[in-house]
Each structure stands twice: as structure tokens, then as C-alpha cells.
Amino acid sequence: MSGVVERARAMIGVPFRLHGRSEAGLDCVGLAAVALGRAAPGAYGLRSGDVARAEGWLRAAGLRPATVGRPGDLALVRPGPLQLHLMIGTGTGFVHAHAGLGRVVEMPGVSPWPVIGWWRA
């Protein structure tokens, strides 16, 4: 199993907190940063549809695009017209910081949202 997946799963149940970067609270960017052991950008909001900007942050963190997701890869998805979200693929689903549920969760199956791209460390 991927070390990224193991670190992400260790964060299941951590409360959702915008710009959170620790076990006290995480958002999707913070979860990705913790699981991948990378720095996270600080200047972003909950609503942003700027794919190019998000992809720039992913590249700056040393990630590269992948055509197909593998366990431990990040999925950049679009849950709404002005919203982007990061989820960590597990091979059987995703771990992500769910704002609506207020915590980090693991969900089985395919993404319920359109996947814009996969990113790999």
C-alpha cells in the first residue's frame, strides 16, 4: 500500500478547517500536503474555479500530471461550477477533507465529481 494512502487514512476523522495543516484540522489542500509531505499554498479560498492556478500550485509542490490515477495520486475534481477540490486516490476510492461532513473521510468507488486531472509525486 502507498505511504501516501496510509498517511491520508491516518487523518480520517480529523475535523475540517479551511487552511488547516495539522491533526487539529485540515482542508483538502492541507490533507494533500500532510499525506504527500509537501508545502501547501496559503492564498486560496473555498471557492475558486481557476484550474490553471491550482495546477500551478501542484507543479510548484513538485507534482506532475498523470493520465491515469494510482493509489496515492491526487485527483483534482470539480464539485461545483466555481469550486475545485483535491482527493487522494486509494485504489478503491478516495480520502478527502469533506467540508459538508466537517471531517476527513474515506469514500469507496469512483469520484462523484468530474475529475479534471490526476497528479503524482
Side-chain angles (χ1 to χ4, degrees):
M1 182 57 59
S2 163
V4 173
V5 173
E6 290 172 357
R7 288 187 295 276
R9 284 182 169 150
M11 297 294 114
I12 292 172
V14 169
F16 178 89
R17 190 178 87 213
L18 186 61
H19 297 132
R21 300 290 182 268
S22 71
E23 291 183 17
L26 294 166
D27 62 7
C28 68
V29 174
L31 175 63
V34 167
L36 290 166
R38 306 289 170 117
Y44 62 91
L46 197 55
R47 301 275 185 247
S48 172
D50 191 340
V51 173
R53 187 175 183 193
E55 289 176 341
W57 288 333
L58 293 166
R59 280 188 181 88
L63 304 179
R64 64 187 190 284
T67 53
V68 177
R70 297 190 308 216
D73 288 350
L74 293 183
L76 177 63
V77 302
R78 185 179 295 283
L82 296 176
Q83 188 175 4
L84 299 174
H85 185 54
L86 293 173
M87 301 191 301
I88 299 166
T90 65
T92 58
F94 297 90
V95 175
H96 67 114
H98 196 298
L101 295 176
R103 65 185 182 278
V104 176
V105 299
E106 183 169 358
M107 65 179 192
V110 299
S111 172
W113 307 296
V115 176
I116 297 167
W118 288 95
W119 292 81
R120 184 166 298 145

